[in-house]
Amino acid sequence: MASVNPMLGMLGIVAVIAAGPVTGLVAAQVVQPLSKSISALPPHPAPAPVATAVSTLPGREADGRVERITFRLATAGRARCPALEPALGLVLQHLSQFELADRAGMITGLSLDRGPGLIAVVPGGPAALAGIRPGDVLLGIDGHAIPPETALATPFDAARAHARADAVRDLLAHTKTTPFAISLLRKGVVSTVTVTPRLACPSYVHLARSDQRNAYADGRHVFTTTGLLSTVRNDDELAFILAHEMAHNILHHALVMRGGEVGHGIGRNLGRSGRIVRETEREADALGGTLMLDAGFDPVRGAAILGRLGGGDLGIELFAAHDSAGKRIAAMRALAAARQR
């Protein structure tokens, strides 16, 4: 399984899920496409922030936490990834992600009609070192102006919002690791900063507002939900979720799952199809655990969340997309022990 991103190694975006799951941490808990946009920022005073060591807008601490861990995994584990992308350590939001009723406030308060706005910045990351702050609005990337939002009166559409976010990420991804200029709007003043990205594993991670407890990968993006985030007890557990889903994308498992040998519906986890599905999950656990170790996380402590998530495989291993929680935790112990030798 596997929240709005990456993202360019790490452009994170609070996004609405626009695609169905391909591979997931808990296969039985399928996240359906969200029909509504994300909600507007909460009014002040904001809830007490979670200790995330990330600079965020009020109320966006969860997005910052996801980005901090994703950025750490993506940069520390880059030796494991055959294809690398530039990482900035930031999270963006777009006006198109909001319902019509919320857009006027986003324009008045955050100028999101001018371009994507910064939700969170990872301290010590390229964006932070360049002086970019939460609340800034991106106007241009490497000499390319970001087109302002259009159709402001158009009702929310998940596909349109997702395409808008991907277009900006693609501009950032094309910068590679060469220093480049970003034009910013801050409190009505336009300025330009120079950013030097870091190479990292591809990691377009999105945090979706949903009570469902799930995370999944679709081949390029990773989605996780606020419902699942509310169940994690520590950063190791969150890292386990994110690293597993990132691993699916790094290993191109979406191509495998969409291939002719993997069934659909009730037969998906049976016979040869089931063996293929379970093998991809084992591979994602192995690479995900390795990424965690590279980044200084504890995969054994992280995998403890599996015992609380449960699943919808009827308790029968024959129908399961994953090995049992006990087997998966044991695999993480073996991986950690091998690293210590």
Side-chain angles (χ1 to χ4, degrees), residues 236 240 288-290 292-293 297-304 328-329 332-333 335-336:
D236 291 308
F240 180 83
T290 299
M292 290 183 68
L293 289 168
F297 291 106
D298 182 346
V300 179
R301 188 169 183 245
R328 295 176 73 184
I329 293 171
M332 291 300 101
R333 288 199 186 99
L335 191 68

Side-chain angles (χ1 to χ4, degrees), residues 165-339:
D166 274 351
V168 175
R169 282 200 301 272
D170 289 342
L171 279 177
L172 287 164
H174 290 157
T175 63
K176 301 304 179 185
T177 55
T178 304
F180 67 95
I182 287 183
S183 299
L184 300 171
L185 177 68
R186 179 183 298 166
K187 296 181 179 180
V189 178
V190 177
S191 62
T192 300
V193 298
T194 299
V195 184
T196 303
R198 296 180 195 168
L199 282 178
C201 296
S203 46
Y204 297 88
V205 179
H206 310 263
L207 179 63
R209 268 60 187 172
S210 172
D211 291 335
Q212 297 183 50
R213 296 186 305 162
N214 204 2
Y216 68 81
D218 70 359
R220 184 185 187 192
H221 308 88
V222 167
F223 298 93
T224 191
T225 62
T226 50
L228 181 56
L229 193 62
S230 69
T231 70
V232 304
R233 294 178 177 173
N234 51 64
D235 282 355
D236 291 308
E237 291 189 350
L238 181 52
F240 180 83
I241 292 166
L242 298 177
H244 177 93
E245 301 309 327
M246 288 169 59
H248 276 310
N249 288 345
I250 293 166
L251 294 169
H252 303 294
H253 282 162
L255 296 177
V256 177
M257 303 304 288
R258 291 171 179 143
E261 293 186 284
V262 176
H264 303 280
I266 192 171
R268 180 176 182 269
N269 298 334
L270 297 176
R272 176 170 173 76
S273 175
R275 290 192 293 273
I276 293 172
V277 170
R278 285 185 286 277
E279 185 57 31
T280 63
E281 295 299 339
R282 292 177 190 127
E283 290 174 352
D285 274 353
L287 178 55
T290 299
L291 293 174
M292 290 183 68
L293 289 168
D294 290 342
F297 291 106
D298 182 346
V300 179
R301 188 169 183 245
I305 192 173
L306 295 173
R308 302 197 307 278
L309 288 179
D313 301 316
L314 307 179
I316 304 173
E317 192 162 347
L318 173 65
F319 296 110
H322 305 79
D323 291 331
S324 68
K327 287 183 178 179
R328 295 176 73 184
I329 293 171
M332 291 300 101
R333 288 199 186 99
L335 191 68
R339 178 66 68 95

Side-chain angles (χ1 to χ4, degrees), residues 64-146:
R65 184 185 184 191
V66 169
E67 174 62 12
R68 170 176 59 85
I69 292 175
T70 302
F71 182 82
R72 183 170 157 185
L73 289 167
T75 54
R78 58 183 173 268
R80 315 292 174 179
C81 299
L84 300 175
E85 296 186 3
L88 298 187
L90 53 78
V91 186
L92 295 173
Q93 65 182 355
H94 302 258
L95 191 63
S96 59
Q97 294 171 302
F98 293 86
E99 295 281 8
L100 284 174
D102 294 323
R103 291 180 191 170
M106 296 299 98
I107 292 172
T108 301
L110 296 173
S111 302
L112 292 190
D113 57 325
R114 300 285 300 277
L118 270 292
I119 298 172
V121 177
V122 177
L129 294 176
I132 298 175
R133 305 174 190 170
D136 289 347
V137 174
L138 268 61
L139 301 179
I141 298 170
D142 198 23
H144 301 282
I146 298 175

